[in-house]
């Protein structure tokens, strides 16, 4: 980084403050060109001073960083190697009065400075994608004070404040809808393409876009605790966390740099002493060796790809908490899924209606829903929702009484009615229940569905079956995962075997484990890890927390803003959409391919440049160009992940 005094920074244009490395590289290029022209015209003094100015301006940042590392960490780094090589070329040129070697050293610094500037510009693009998250929330909000609208800074809002959200507004912070109805575009946060309906009591999130309705929103958490702020914190944390592979490369670089310096000293001294080579040629070859053997490209092979993968995921509503997770998820061979809320929607619905002879399905559902509307049980809510969806009117009931775990009874139009289990509604029946209905009930229960019976006076009107609905995209996703190299898809559930087998048949999972306690799920994950190595677990982040922690990668399927999902899982699918899992795996696998491409390119380029140098076919500028060119190529290759 080029140092610019703070008072001067405030007077500089924004693009100068953003890209000081590019400015320094530009000056270095101009001075190098002018210095070369001066030497061509035999203006030696002017040419030498211009070239030294190019050395100072272009090499200041690298020299400062290299000397700081040497002084504070007692380590050699690539920046210092480049400066030593350039100064060595300059010293050799002055010693032999071959001033064009000063041009070689200046070109070395110029190419190194240009490469650093281009890398910083490319990395700034990654940072810009991550920083764009921070620009999703407005700086001000419309707060209602005694019924009057007042513009206040978003940071000054407090819990309990009420804000006004007009059509098309960017929502400034999280809150609960206190009044109004609207649709909200949550794509900036969750990646959902379809706007979500919001009404009384629903939560809205900072950074999302209000639709055509007007909303009054009460703050239930401070702005700094909003979902978008927590996502920003997690993304920034992931950005600064180095995966094991990068940590290994940095340890390797420290030892490698010592070896290169030692080998350079030997190459500069032994051939003249032992083989009688000319000192100038030997020193020049040693300087070229210092340049081409430096592992810049290797060091740039990993982090650009991982950072751009993190930014790509954040744009699509996939939150990677750590760069290492991109490596891990790209190596997953088996995925375990929780059933309820993951492969299924987690919401009960009426799947079957079997009326008795002489009774219509509408009559059966109307009677059941008219009684169940007085119950808060999830099964009751599913029955009532089915009646509403089919626009069946409900009748008022009297003397309603619930029997916990059995059913509910009451009077409709003065006639006694019962809805519930067979044992509950069959008490004191004058005639046995129709065997056909009993067989149908047994068949539905064998499929894992919950059956409720409906009775009016002494007549059994029929039965309804309620079941959790399999996500429409589950089966297609599992097929796609197998095509992408996932060897096993496993379902883990605490539900009964019959229900699990039914869902397994619909989705196509390869293995089913039912009747599991949380600790049992952990045992299954361990067994899968022994068999397949890298295993991912997809769950809701609450009752699956032990299994998520045990898995190589814990992935939370959760509604946007779930605190538990953000805290327990390694990867969070911000939208409650299972197909985001495939996108997460694709990002991981693609980042792995790019990293291996980069490592291969880096090693091949270093090897070819070293061979060319030992054969005496490489000049210092060409060596620098090859070295820095390969570094720039691997950096830009890593940033391909940012493209849509």
């Amino acid at each position: 980084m080029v140092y610019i005094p703070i008072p001067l920074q405030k007077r500089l244009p924004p693009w100068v403050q953003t890209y000081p490395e590019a400015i320094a590289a530009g000056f270095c290029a101009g001075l190098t060109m002018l210095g070369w022209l001066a030497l061509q015209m035999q203006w030696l003094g002017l040419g030498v001073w211009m070239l030294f100015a190019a050395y100072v301006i272009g090499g200041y940042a690298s020299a400062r960083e290299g000397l700081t590392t040497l002084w504070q960490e007692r380590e050699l780094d690539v920046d210092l190697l480049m400066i030593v090589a350039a100064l060595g070329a300059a010293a050799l040129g002055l010693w032999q009065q071959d001033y064009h070697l000063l041009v070689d050293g200046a070109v070395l610094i110029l190419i190194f400075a240009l490469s650093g500037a281009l890398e910083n510009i490319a990395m700034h693009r990654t940072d810009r994608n991550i920083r764009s998250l921070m620009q999703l929330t407005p700086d001000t909000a419309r707060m209602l004070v005694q019924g009057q609208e007042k513009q206040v800074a978003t940071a000054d809002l407090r819990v309990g404040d009420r804000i006004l959200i007009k059509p098309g507004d960017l929502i400034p912070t999280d809150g609960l809808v206190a009044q109004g109805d609207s649709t909200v575009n949550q794509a900036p946060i969750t990646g959902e393409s379809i706007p979500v309906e919001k009404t009384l009591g629903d939560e809205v999130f900072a950074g999302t876009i209000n639709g055509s309705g007007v909303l009054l929103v009460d703050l239930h958490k401070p702005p700094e605790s909003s979902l978008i702020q927590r996502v920003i914190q997690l993304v920034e944390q992931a950005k600064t966390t180095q995966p094991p592979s990068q940590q290994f490369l940095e340890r390797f670089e420290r030892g490698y740099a010592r070896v290169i310096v030692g080998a350079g000293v030997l190459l500069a001294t032994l051939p003249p002493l032992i083989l009688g080579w000319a000192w100038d040629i030997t020193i020049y070859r040693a300087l070229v060796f210092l340049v081409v053997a430096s592992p810049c490209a290797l060091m740039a092979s990993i982090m650009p790809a991982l950072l751009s993968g993190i930014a790509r995921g954040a744009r699509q509503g996939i939150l990677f908490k750590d760069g290492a997770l991109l490596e891990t998820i790209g190596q997953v061979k088996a995925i375990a899924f929780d059933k309820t809320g993951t492969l299924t929607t987690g919401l009960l619905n009426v799947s079957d209606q079997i009326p008795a002879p002489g009774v219509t399905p509408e009559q059966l559902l109307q009677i059941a829903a008219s009684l169940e509307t007085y119950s808060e049980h999830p099964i009751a809510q599913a029955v009532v929702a089915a009646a509403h969806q089919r626009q069946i009117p409900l009748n008022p009931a009297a003397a309603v009484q619930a029997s916990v775990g059995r059913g509910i009874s009451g009077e409709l139009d003065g006639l006694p009615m019962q809805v519930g289990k067979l044992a509950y509604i069959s008490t004191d029946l004058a005639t046995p229940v129709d065997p056909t209905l009993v067989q149908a009930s047994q068949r539905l229960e064998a499929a894992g569905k919950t059956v409720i019976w409906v009775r009016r006076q002494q007549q059994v009107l029929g039965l309804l079956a309620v079941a959790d609905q399999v996500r429409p995209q589950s089966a297609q996703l599992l097929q796609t995962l197998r095509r992408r190299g996932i060897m096993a898809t496993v379902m883990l559930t605490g539900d009964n075997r019959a229900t699990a087998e039914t869902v397994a048949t619909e989705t196509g999972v390869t293995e089913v484990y039912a009747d599991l306690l949380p600790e049992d799920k952990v045992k299954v994950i361990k067994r899968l890890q022994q068999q397949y190595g890298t295993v991912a677990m997809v769950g809701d982040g609450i009752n699956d927390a032990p299994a998520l922690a045990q898995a190589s990668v814990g992935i939370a399927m959760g509604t946007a803003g779930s605190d538990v999902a953000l805290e327990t899982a390694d990867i969070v699918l911000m939208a409650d959409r299972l197909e985001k899992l495939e996108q997460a795996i694709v990002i991981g696998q693609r980042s792995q391919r790019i990293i291996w491409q980069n490592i291969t390119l880096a090693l091949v380029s270093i090897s070819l440049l070293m061979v060319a140098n030992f054969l005496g076919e490489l000049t210092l500028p060409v060596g620098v160009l090859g070295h820095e060119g390969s570094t720039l190529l691997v950096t830009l290759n890593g940033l391909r992940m940012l493209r849509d």
Side-chain angles (χ1 to χ4, degrees):
M1 180 65 69
V2 176
Y3 173 73
I4 301 174
I6 293 176
L8 181 58
Q9 288 181 20
K10 296 178 180 178
R11 296 194 295 269
L12 293 175
W15 61 273
V16 175
Q17 298 179 41
T18 304
Y19 303 114
E21 297 88 353
I23 304 301
F27 276 109
C28 180
L31 289 168
T32 300
M33 178 61 70
L34 292 173
W36 176 77
L37 287 174
L39 292 180
Q40 294 295 106
M41 301 175 69
Q42 302 300 314
W43 298 344
L44 297 181
L46 179 62
V48 168
W49 281 110
M50 283 187 170
L51 291 172
F52 277 140
Y55 277 55
V56 173
I57 293 174
Y60 171 77
S62 295
R64 185 167 178 247
E65 186 171 341
L67 290 173
T68 300
T69 303
L70 180 64
W71 179 260
Q72 294 180 352
E73 302 178 21
R74 300 293 190 270
E75 296 289 350
L76 295 168
D77 68 1
V78 173
D79 296 280
L80 195 58
L81 292 183
M82 295 298 103
I83 296 301
V84 168
L87 293 178
L92 191 61
L94 292 173
W95 174 34
Q96 293 188 319
Q97 296 186 349
D98 183 0
Y99 298 108
H100 286 87
L101 286 177
L102 272 73
V103 178
D104 287 356
V107 170
L108 187 159
I109 287 180
L110 171 60
I111 296 176
F112 196 63
L114 282 173
S115 176
L118 291 173
E119 287 177 43
N120 275 282
I121 291 171
M123 294 307 295
H124 181 74
R125 184 182 172 192
T126 301
D127 290 338
R128 188 171 67 243
N129 277 272
I130 294 175
R131 286 199 305 271
S132 65
L133 288 171
M134 304 178 188
Q135 299 170 359
L136 289 176
T137 55
D139 295 329
T140 61
R142 298 186 180 94
M143 186 172 74
L144 294 181
V145 181
Q146 297 179 348
Q148 299 297 315
E149 179 183 329
K150 179 184 177 183
Q151 287 279 350
V152 299
T154 302
D156 293 337
L157 293 171
R158 297 291 179 265
V159 175
D161 288 345
R162 176 167 291 188
I163 58 176
L164 172 66
I165 311 294
K166 293 184 178 181
D169 276 358
L170 200 62
I171 297 175
T173 188
D174 293 7
L176 301 175
V177 176
Q179 185 178 324
D181 299 279
S182 185
T183 57
V184 175
N185 180 2
Q186 298 190 156
I189 305 299
T190 65
E192 294 172 282
S193 58
I194 300 175
V196 179
E197 296 283 345
K198 298 291 182 179
T199 187
L200 182 65
D202 290 340
E203 187 173 14
V204 295
F205 305 106
T208 57
I209 305 166
N210 187 28
S212 58
V214 177
L215 297 175
L216 296 183
V217 174
D218 288 340
L219 271 64
H220 65 304
K221 62 178 70 170
E224 61 270 18
S225 299
S226 65
L227 169 63
I228 184 63
Q229 294 300 325
R230 286 180 287 148
V231 169
I232 290 170
Q233 292 169 7
L234 290 170
V235 172
E236 289 290 346
Q237 177 183 337
K239 178 184 154 190
T240 57
T241 302
Q242 291 183 336
S245 56
Q246 183 68 22
Q247 294 173 8
F248 168 77
L249 280 182
E250 292 197 352
R251 291 194 301 270
F252 169 78
E253 182 204 16
R254 289 192 288 268
Y256 182 80
R258 296 192 195 100
V259 172
I260 293 301
V261 170
V265 171
L266 293 177
L267 287 173
T269 55
L270 292 184
L273 296 175
I274 298 176
L275 303 176
W277 290 12
W279 280 99
D280 56 344
I281 296 176
T282 306
I283 292 174
Y284 189 79
R285 287 287 150 225
L287 294 175
V288 176
F289 172 78
L290 286 179
V291 172
V292 300
S294 298
C296 292
L298 194 60
M299 296 304 300
S301 298
I302 295 175
M303 287 309 292
L306 295 186
L307 289 178
S308 52
I310 290 170
R312 177 71 176 270
R315 286 210 307 258
Q316 297 184 356
I318 303 166
L319 179 58
F320 294 93
K321 288 189 178 181
D322 190 327
L325 298 171
L326 276 166
E327 293 185 344
T328 307
I329 197 171
Q331 301 165 358
V332 164
K333 295 301 179 186
I335 303 178
F337 296 88
D338 175 47
K339 179 183 75 68
T340 305
T342 302
L343 292 175
T344 67
T345 62
L347 302 174
L348 297 177
N349 72 313
V350 175
S351 59
D352 300 271
Q353 294 175 237
I354 303 180
V359 181
T360 66
E362 289 75 17
Q363 289 174 328
L364 180 68
L365 185 57
Q366 182 185 49
I367 292 171
S370 295
L371 274 182
E372 294 284 28
T373 192
Y374 295 92
S375 172
E376 296 296 327
H377 195 281
I379 292 177
Q381 293 175 357
V383 173
V384 174
H388 288 324
Q389 288 171 2
R390 300 172 199 183
Q391 299 182 339
I392 297 174
L394 304 185
N395 299 321
V400 177
Q401 186 174 358
S403 177
V404 179
R406 302 183 68 205
I408 190 170
S409 63
E411 293 182 3
L412 292 173
D413 299 325
L415 300 177
M417 305 286 180
Q418 288 180 309
V419 178
K421 293 182 177 180
L422 179 59
Y424 177 66
I425 66 100
S426 62
T427 304
D428 68 24
L429 270 177
T431 58
V433 179
D434 186 344
T436 304
L437 293 177
V438 174
Q439 291 175 1
S441 171
Q442 293 171 346
R443 174 176 52 81
L444 293 170
E445 288 176 341
K449 299 179 180 180
T450 301
V451 174
I452 56 173
W453 295 76
V454 182
R455 170 184 169 179
R456 179 175 60 194
Q457 291 185 305
Q458 290 293 316
Q459 181 187 7
V460 176
L461 300 181
L463 57 90
L464 303 171
V466 177
D468 188 3
Q469 186 177 7
V470 173
R471 291 180 186 270
Q473 64 270 32
S474 293
Q476 180 63 42
L477 172 70
L478 295 182
Q479 292 179 11
T480 304
L481 292 178
R482 283 191 285 273
R483 288 198 298 270
R484 292 199 174 277
I486 303 300
M487 300 171 63
T489 52
V490 182
M491 184 171 69
L492 310 180
T493 179
D495 215 336
N496 61 74
R497 169 63 62 173
T499 302
E501 292 290 354
T502 301
V503 174
T505 301
E506 291 188 50
T507 57
V509 297
T510 55
E511 300 177 44
V512 179
Y513 296 87
D515 300 306
L516 299 179
L517 296 172
E519 56 266 30
D520 298 326
K521 292 184 179 182
V522 173
K523 293 177 182 176
V524 175
I525 294 294
K526 289 181 178 178
R527 193 180 313 139
L528 292 172
Q529 287 173 324
Q530 292 175 354
Q531 184 175 358
Y532 297 103
T534 307
V535 176
M537 170 70 190
V538 188
D540 59 14
I542 301 174
N543 59 347
D544 295 313
L548 289 170
Q550 175 61 40
S552 309
V553 184
I555 304 169
M557 277 285 301
T559 56
S562 167
D563 290 327
V564 177
L566 286 172
E567 291 169 6
T568 61
D570 300 312
I571 299 173
V572 180
L573 309 182
M574 300 296 292
D576 195 19
R577 293 169 55 192
L578 191 59
E579 62 267 27
K580 291 286 183 182
L581 174 61
E582 181 198 355
Q583 296 178 18
I585 292 174
V586 168
I587 290 172
Q589 292 178 340
R590 191 177 176 199
S591 68
Q592 286 301 291
R593 288 197 299 272
I594 290 175
I595 286 171
W596 281 111
Q597 290 169 6
N598 286 347
I599 291 174
T600 302
L601 176 60
L603 293 175
V604 168
S605 64
I606 290 173
S607 301
L608 291 177
L609 290 171
M610 290 178 68
V611 169
N613 181 47
F614 282 121
L615 294 176
E617 301 295 330
L618 203 63
T619 63
L620 188 58
V622 174
V624 175
L625 188 62
H627 175 268
E628 296 304 317
S630 62
T631 303
L632 183 59
L633 279 178
V634 299
T635 301
L636 295 177
N637 190 43
L639 295 176
R640 285 194 297 125
M641 293 286 290
L642 290 175
R643 292 188 305 180
D644 290 326

